Amino acid sequence: ACCDGIYQYSNGEIIKKCSKNKGLASRDINSIIEVDEAKLLIGSDYGLCEYYNDDFNYYDNIIAQNCLTEGGKFLLYDSKKNLWINTNNSIAKLGVDHKITSYNSIDGAPEKVYRMVEGSKNNYWILAYFIYKFDGLNFEIIRTPCYGIYDINVDKNGVLYVLCQNGAYSFNG
């Protein structure tokens, strides 16, 4: 989030500026995630857009816009090319077909998510107040000896690492 759009830097100097007058939907950016070297997904209060080859393409899906205007932040762009967004009260998945699937507390999803990582067995690990495992259908709270969890990450073998106040732990999942 910056005061006037997005800046690209090289060696400490601005080499490109993308602002509202150059096609950006809003100067206030909530989230940005790199899809590959040539493509960015940008979330603002006006919805979701894709920046590719110096052009902005807007998702016209009003639900995607609502996800982001509800204070949404990008969590993850997964290996299946789904974009996961955390809103004020749910987790939303924007699929490659631009369809939204929303998960909320009724589904067992945490309301406030801090981080989400993709596991190696078609599951996702979610850092909220607790750690959750999501298999695509069900959310499971993972009991750990951790308190004051700071961060989570998964290695290439699918081992979940948890950094917390009382140490670092690993879990096979």
Side-chain angles (χ1 to χ4, degrees):
C2 185
C3 54
D4 194 24
I6 301 170
Y7 297 86
Q8 180 181 3
Y9 289 89
S10 179
N11 297 323
E13 303 212 8
I14 297 173
I15 59 172
K16 187 180 287 188
K17 176 182 173 187
C18 298
S19 62
K20 194 170 178 181
N21 64 356
K22 296 220 176 175
L24 192 60
S26 170
R27 67 182 210 136
D28 298 318
I29 306 301
N30 295 337
S31 297
I32 186 167
I33 196 163
E34 183 179 30
V35 174
D36 58 39
E37 289 184 19
K39 186 189 294 184
L40 300 173
L41 291 175
I42 301 164
S44 74
D45 289 341
Y46 293 95
L48 174 64
C49 72
E50 174 184 276
Y51 180 70
Y52 182 70
N53 287 336
D54 290 332
D55 288 323
F56 290 98
N57 299 308
Y58 293 91
Y59 286 68
D60 58 2
N61 189 324
I62 195 69
I63 300 172
Q65 181 175 342
N66 288 343
C67 286
L68 292 162
T69 56
E70 291 176 8
K73 303 281 188 255
F74 296 156
L75 293 171
L76 173 69
Y77 186 76
D78 70 19
S79 63
K80 298 175 188 114
K81 302 190 184 315
N82 296 309
L83 177 64
W84 293 84
I85 302 166
N86 182 51
T87 68
N88 285 335
N89 58 6
S90 68
I91 300 171
K93 178 180 76 171
L94 177 61
V96 293
D97 57 1
H98 295 193
K99 290 185 181 174
I100 294 282
T101 306
S102 187
Y103 305 95
N104 59 36
S105 59
I106 294 171
D107 303 309
E111 290 187 8
K112 179 66 177 165
V113 175
Y114 302 106
R115 182 155 159 78
M116 183 173 183
V117 292
E118 186 173 10
S120 64
K121 298 176 183 172
N122 290 324
N123 61 42
Y124 298 90
W125 296 100
I126 300 166
L127 173 58
Y129 185 71
F130 298 105
I131 295 173
Y132 290 76
K133 182 179 180 180
F134 179 57
D135 64 8
L137 297 173
N138 300 300
F139 291 88
E140 175 187 359
I141 295 177
I142 304 300
R143 302 288 177 203
T144 71
C146 300
Y147 60 87
I149 301 171
Y150 297 123
D151 201 3
I152 60 173
N153 213 340
V154 174
D155 70 11
K156 64 181 178 181
N157 299 315
V159 176
L160 174 69
Y161 293 91
V162 181
L163 178 62
C164 49
Q165 283 181 351
N166 59 323
Y169 296 89
S170 64
F171 301 92
N172 288 319

